[in-house]
Amino acid sequence: MDAFTVIAAVAAVIAGAIASISGFGIGSVLTPVLSTEFDVRLAIALVSLPHLAGTFVRFLLVRTHIDRDVLLGFGAASAIGGLAGASLQAVVQSAALATIFGLLLVFAGLGSLIGFAQRMRFSGRRSALVGGALSGLLGGLVGNQGGAAALLGFDVERQAFIATATAVALIVDGARIPVYLVTQGADIAAQWPLILLLALGAVAGTLLGERTLRRMSEAVFRRVVGALLLVLGVYTLARASFPGS
């Protein structure tokens, strides 16, 4: 096992743990790691399968807490956005979208840390549709879903936040992965040992992170999510500005 494989496996465990606590993070952490060895579009496609594995396990753990009212519009729009994003991946400049996504994460992270996100509440079908469509579009295009950031604006408690963000991510994966398999199936199949290893790492991290989440208070949870959004936003911006770094 070479150094890259070891680093990627460790990153998968860390990414799964982060996602268990915040509802997002597998794609945000793993995609930059894999893009050091693979073309960025292939990296996004490869990460989508471990992402699906970790997200599905997390869904089994938290599914009873889903806010169905928020999910109904948000999830459907996310599926459409994810399908569109994956289909447009070959023709749209992902660096520009990654910059926009990074800025949104920074805004949402700062908002959560200083309390702005708690005062800024979304409601209604229109907000859910817009937020879901953007989340899915970014998930399909650049492998990073903004669902967790967008859901901060809805009045949902900690468990519902994680569960609903997880359900949204699962819906987007269901929409985008078939497109990746059609367009890059042979390249994806060639990397099945790495995909399997990353999937096992993401699942292990998910189970570890879920234990931490159970011991976390609501106030601490909001601050942790805000900090993770901020860090990943800054990192996303740095990767978009210096793609070779």
Side-chain angles (χ1 to χ4, degrees), residues 95-243:
L97 289 164
T99 299
I100 295 172
F101 179 73
L103 290 172
L104 289 173
L105 287 181
V106 169
F107 174 76
L110 288 174
S112 184
L113 288 173
I114 67 179
F116 175 70
Q118 284 82 349
R119 297 190 296 270
M120 182 183 66
R121 292 300 181 196
F122 303 140
S123 61
R125 184 175 178 81
R126 179 177 297 179
S127 296
L129 290 174
V130 172
L134 289 175
S135 171
L137 182 68
L138 289 165
L141 276 169
V142 298
N144 297 294
Q145 296 179 36
L151 285 173
L152 280 173
F154 290 88
D155 190 16
V156 293
E157 54 90 28
R158 178 186 58 179
Q159 293 287 357
F161 176 92
I162 295 294
T164 308
T166 298
V168 168
L170 203 57
I171 290 170
V172 174
D173 280 346
R176 67 184 177 129
I177 288 176
V179 179
Y180 297 155
L181 293 176
V182 169
T183 58
Q184 304 179 76
D187 292 331
I188 293 172
Q191 301 299 326
W192 72 264
L194 176 63
I195 292 171
L196 178 60
L197 179 64
L198 297 182
L200 292 173
V203 169
T206 296
L207 297 175
L208 290 172
E210 197 270 338
R211 295 183 180 181
T212 303
L213 178 64
R214 286 201 302 261
R215 298 193 294 266
M216 195 177 296
S217 69
E218 189 78 27
V220 171
F221 168 75
R222 287 280 175 177
R223 288 195 292 271
V224 168
V225 171
L228 289 172
L229 284 169
L230 181 58
V231 169
L232 287 174
V234 171
Y235 184 63
T236 299
L237 288 173
R239 289 287 302 181
S241 300
F242 306 100

Side-chain angles (χ1 to χ4, degrees), residues 67-86:
D67 187 315
R68 288 174 172 79
D69 291 335
V70 174
L71 179 64
L72 185 61
F74 199 100
S78 292
I80 297 171
L83 181 61

Side-chain angles (χ1 to χ4, degrees), residues 31 35 38-48 86 88-95 140-142 180 183-184 188:
T31 302
S35 66
F38 302 100
D39 173 78
V40 65
R41 289 185 174 85
L42 179 57
I44 291 168
L46 293 175
V47 170
S48 68
L88 292 171
Q89 191 189 67
V91 296
V92 176
Q93 290 294 321
S94 58
L141 276 169
V142 298
Y180 297 155
T183 58
Q184 304 179 76
I188 293 172

